[in-house]
Amino acid sequence: MNRQVIDAHLHLDHYKENEIEQIIRDLSIESYPALISVSYHLQSCKQNLSLARKHSQVKPAFGFHPEQKLPTAQEQQLLFQWMAEHVEDMVAVGEIGLPYYTRKEAPALKIEGYISLLEQFLVFAKKWNKPVVLHAVYEDADLVCDLLEQHHIRNAHFHWFKGAAPTIERMIRHGYLISVTPDVVYEPEIQALVKKYPLEKIMVETDGPWPFEGPFKGMMTHPRMIHESVKVIAEIKNEDLERVYQQLYQNTINFYKLY
């Protein structure tokens, strides 16, 4: 019975030191062969690289989370220079995307600089043949799909995706992957997405340390929560649980080229 899971997207460097030690210790004794730790900015990239060098299960992705102030031109240059120097250490470019939630709070925010930065990341990913981990939800996802098509990028992963039916159908046509968090256990919107999306194009994540509600309320977000997600996915898909475990695991291995 192979019930291995891989957390396809979390921010390990955002946990407290004792929490990181606990998660790594649990990874060693439970069925978690790897986790993908995405980065927020240059310092975050460096922290994730340090964690990866210390713990073999940690697979780092390097990028710049879009829900923050844009880096200056000099900061962007330093980030891309550092990423190029450490390209062999990274499994993906991420987390990258567009600032949907920031714009909801500040509608006057100019998006052009974020689009330009995202395009730079896509060019980098194409050059080095790295998959991309995307923060792009609702109407932003259509714009990101346009950019992916323009840059001929197919190895794209929309993490914790939410969006309209036409966008979902477009993503399915292009073979883009999605990943779902533990909120699939209690969120009808995510359950509906899982029902529609091909199992062969789904991964599971926690986006930790982001906290969850429902049965996870008040708990530290941990990769083991994924087991509850897998059970619900199997129920929604009306598939054998062991097959779902194996498929989700293989999807993640293939996308990130882990082994």
Side-chain angles (χ1 to χ4, degrees):
M1 187 180 299
N2 182 10
R3 290 189 171 181
Q4 289 185 308
V5 294
I6 297 174
D7 192 332
H9 182 108
L10 87 167
H11 301 265
L12 189 61
D13 63 304
H14 281 199
Y15 284 87
K16 298 173 184 173
E17 190 171 340
N18 65 309
E19 294 173 336
I20 294 174
E21 291 173 0
Q22 178 188 336
I23 289 171
I24 295 298
R25 188 165 56 248
D26 293 341
L27 288 176
S28 299
I29 60 177
E30 300 178 32
S31 297
Y32 313 109
L35 53 79
I36 311 300
S37 191
V38 296
S39 300
Y40 225 81
H41 40 52
L42 179 55
Q43 184 56 36
S44 176
C45 291
K46 292 177 178 179
Q47 287 176 278
N48 276 316
L49 177 58
S50 177
L51 288 167
R53 286 176 170 171
K54 188 176 179 183
H55 308 289
S56 61
Q57 303 101 322
V58 178
K59 310 299 181 184
F62 302 143
F64 184 88
H65 197 296
E67 301 286 358
Q68 58 184 318
K69 183 180 176 182
L70 271 173
T72 64
Q74 183 182 17
E75 289 169 337
Q76 292 182 34
Q77 182 180 3
L78 288 172
L79 173 59
F80 282 103
Q81 180 180 333
W82 186 91
M83 287 173 58
E85 290 169 358
H86 296 89
V87 73
E88 295 301 322
D89 298 303
M90 63 195 292
V91 295
V93 175
E95 176 171 0
I96 58 174
L98 296 177
Y100 178 83
Y101 298 107
T102 301
R103 290 208 320 289
K104 292 285 280 187
E105 296 292 322
L109 181 71
K110 302 290 186 186
I111 195 175
E112 288 77 14
Y114 290 92
I115 293 174
S116 174
L117 179 58
L118 175 56
E119 287 209 78
Q120 289 183 66
F121 279 121
L122 296 180
V123 168
F124 181 97
K126 186 71 175 179
K127 176 181 178 180
W128 296 104
N129 191 28
K130 297 290 182 179
V132 293
V133 183
L134 296 160
H135 173 96
V137 296
Y138 300 115
E139 55 266 30
D140 279 358
D142 287 305
L143 181 49
V144 170
C145 283
D146 290 343
L147 295 174
L148 291 173
E149 290 169 24
Q150 288 171 25
H151 291 276
H152 307 289
I153 290 177
R154 301 195 66 84
N155 292 330
H157 160 210
F158 288 73
H159 104 93
W160 204 341
F161 179 74
K162 310 165 193 75
T167 308
I168 294 168
E169 290 160 9
R170 180 182 186 183
M171 289 165 54
I172 292 171
R173 283 198 308 273
H174 284 285
Y176 303 143
L177 278 78
I178 62 167
S179 58
V180 296
T181 70
D183 75 342
V184 69
V185 173
Y186 56 86
E187 280 288 353
E189 179 184 12
I190 305 301
Q191 292 167 356
L193 173 64
V194 167
K195 187 170 186 178
K196 184 174 292 188
Y197 224 85
L199 181 62
E200 293 73 20
K201 296 296 180 180
I202 297 176
M203 297 187 286
V204 277
E205 61 156 305
T206 62
D207 201 24
W210 187 270
F212 291 93
E213 299 297 320
F216 313 110
K217 188 174 179 63
M219 297 169 59
M220 181 190 82
T221 297
H222 189 292
R224 66 166 60 101
M225 291 178 177
I226 287 173
H227 290 292
E228 297 305 315
S229 301
V230 178
K231 290 176 188 174
V232 171
I233 292 170
E235 291 170 6
I236 293 170
K237 291 294 193 185
N238 194 26
E239 289 271 8
D240 176 71
L241 181 60
E242 305 307 327
R243 173 176 133 63
V244 172
Y245 265 105
Q246 183 59 33
Q247 186 67 59
L248 296 171
Y249 175 79
Q250 200 60 52
N251 294 346
T252 315
I253 293 289
N254 294 345
F255 180 78
Y256 286 112
K257 303 181 179 128
L258 294 182
Y259 304 112

